[in-house]
Amino acid sequence: PLLSARDYQRAINTSTRPSPSLYRSLVLSLVAAGMEFAEEAIEAVDEGLSHFAGEISLLGLGVDVSLSQQNTQRAQHYFETVQSRLRVLPQWQFRQVILTCVKGDVEMAAEHFSLMLAGLQGDGSQRAGSWEPPLDVITRLAASASVDECSRTAWEILRKQQP
């Protein structure tokens, strides 16, 4: 993964117009290389956003990496950059609840996870587009949310994404 990250960085550095997908691949390769590269992943997110302000995939990665590091201030900054019409999508609501949890309001987060779970098990209206809600994760967090468990969950979800 680290060699891939270095390849993506070279491609970005040598390209006259690197695409958002190159930055996304760089971030996810750094995540795959391990937690010790989380800060470098955030730097890649910020670099990508400096060229593509408001790029939703990079903002999502920024939120997720920040939450995995329990950096709620930075996660909140990225989250607030997302257009309000997009924040109502289930994947962004999920991130909001993870943020609430990592900020320390675990009871409120557990309640929201329970409501999400009920919605998913009911009519399925919580599903949107290509986002597949992690039912096992939501079930686990509804039962026993904690700051550490929520930040680990953010990292776990990041690690499952493909560069």
Side-chain angles (χ1 to χ4, degrees):
L2 193 53
L3 292 176
S4 294
R6 298 305 173 230
D7 286 343
Y8 287 121
Q9 186 64 63
R10 266 190 298 283
I12 288 168
N13 292 344
T14 59
S15 175
T16 56
R17 297 190 64 174
S19 69
S21 64
L22 274 176
Y23 287 101
R24 181 181 186 283
S25 296
L26 170 59
V27 171
L28 290 174
S29 293
L30 290 165
V31 166
M35 186 74 82
E36 62 271 24
F37 295 98
E39 193 55 41
E40 195 174 335
I42 283 295
E43 291 169 10
V45 167
D46 288 341
E47 182 183 338
L49 288 171
S50 73
H51 297 286
F52 304 99
E55 171 60 38
I56 196 71
S57 65
L58 293 174
L59 289 169
L61 292 172
V63 170
D64 296 343
V65 175
S66 297
L67 289 173
S68 74
Q69 301 299 297
Q70 297 184 14
N71 188 331
T72 58
Q73 190 172 25
R74 186 169 38 196
Q76 185 72 43
H77 166 74
Y78 290 127
F79 194 83
E80 289 172 355
T81 306
V82 174
Q83 296 175 14
S84 59
R85 66 182 175 82
L86 296 176
R87 284 188 238 150
V88 299
L89 295 173
Q91 59 267 42
W92 286 96
Q93 291 177 350
F94 178 77
R95 284 183 174 107
Q96 178 64 59
V97 179
I98 293 282
L99 176 59
T100 298
C101 181
V102 174
K103 282 183 172 179
D105 196 348
V106 294
E107 289 178 14
M108 176 70 77
E111 183 179 324
H112 282 281
F113 284 124
S114 293
L115 291 171
M116 264 185 188
L117 189 59
L120 289 167
Q121 292 172 334
D123 62 7
S125 63
Q126 293 278 329
R127 296 172 193 258
S130 63
W131 187 70
E132 188 61 35
L135 290 175
D136 58 329
V137 171
I138 294 171
T139 301
R140 183 180 73 232
L141 294 174
S144 61
S146 72
V147 171
D148 288 341
E149 188 62 30
C150 287
S151 66
R152 270 193 303 277
T153 295
W155 188 256
E156 173 186 309
I157 288 170
L158 273 168
R159 301 249 329 163
K160 289 181 181 176
Q161 295 184 48
Q162 297 298 314

